Amino acid sequence: MRLGSRLAALAAILSLGADPAHAAVCMDKSMTQDEIVDTINATRGCAAAMKVFRDCEFGASGDVQLGAAVEKKCEADFLSRLGASQKKAYASQLKRCDAKYQNESGTMYRSFTAFCRAEVSQRYSQKALKARPKTR
């Protein structure tokens, strides 16, 4: 490979990582962060929202917005039915996620925090959905 070709390849690789919030290849197409959030919002439930999040993650601070959309989607399954002590426990678990990487620098740690929070919300959603009586 010639030097010019190597530099072009390196430039292409670096441009992919230069602005992770700009776009990602997600679900076999290039999508902006806002398009991914819209896709999460359009899913039918928490599990599907989490799948989109995992499939479309940036691995950087752009995941904060995606994770927040997943949290909101999952919370629709349980938040209104939690009592005061359960809401406090839920908030405490979210705060643990926030604290876990607060002293770490680098955008990947914001991604880790977003995934931690989304996973807490997903667990609460799963628990709530299992507890619901089945309707015919």
Side-chain angles (χ1 to χ4, degrees):
M1 187 183 255
R2 293 183 334 180
L3 180 59
S5 298
R6 284 188 215 166
L7 289 176
L10 180 60
I13 291 168
L14 291 175
S15 71
L16 293 175
D19 188 9
H22 182 64
V25 175
C26 175
M27 299 165 39
D28 295 326
K29 62 183 177 179
S30 180
M31 296 175 72
T32 66
Q33 187 177 31
D34 289 340
E35 289 171 330
I36 297 168
V37 169
D38 290 344
T39 301
I40 289 170
N41 290 337
T43 60
R44 297 192 75 184
C46 178
M50 189 59 133
K51 181 177 180 351
V52 172
F53 187 23
R54 285 192 177 111
D55 291 348
C56 301
E57 71 176 280
F58 293 105
S61 59
D63 290 340
V64 172
Q65 187 178 357
L66 306 183
V70 172
E71 282 182 57
K72 184 177 176 184
K73 179 63 80 167
C74 294
E75 286 174 348
D77 294 335
F78 66 87
L79 196 57
S80 66
R81 291 189 282 288
L82 293 182
S85 64
Q86 293 169 314
K87 283 183 182 178
K88 187 175 179 181
Y90 174 63
S92 175
Q93 288 183 28
L94 293 177
K95 285 180 185 174
R96 266 189 246 137
C97 290
D98 295 339
K100 190 173 186 177
Y101 303 107
Q102 74 181 7
N103 295 324
E104 302 294 337
S105 62
T107 61
M108 72 179 181
Y109 292 105
R110 304 307 68 87
S111 174
F112 295 167
T113 300
F115 269 97
C116 179
R117 290 177 60 95
E119 288 164 356
V120 167
S121 297
Q122 183 183 37
R123 282 193 301 275
Y124 270 76
S125 170
Q126 289 168 337
K127 196 179 208 181
L129 293 176
K130 283 181 185 176
R132 280 191 192 162
K134 303 256 190 241
T135 57
R136 291 184 180 217

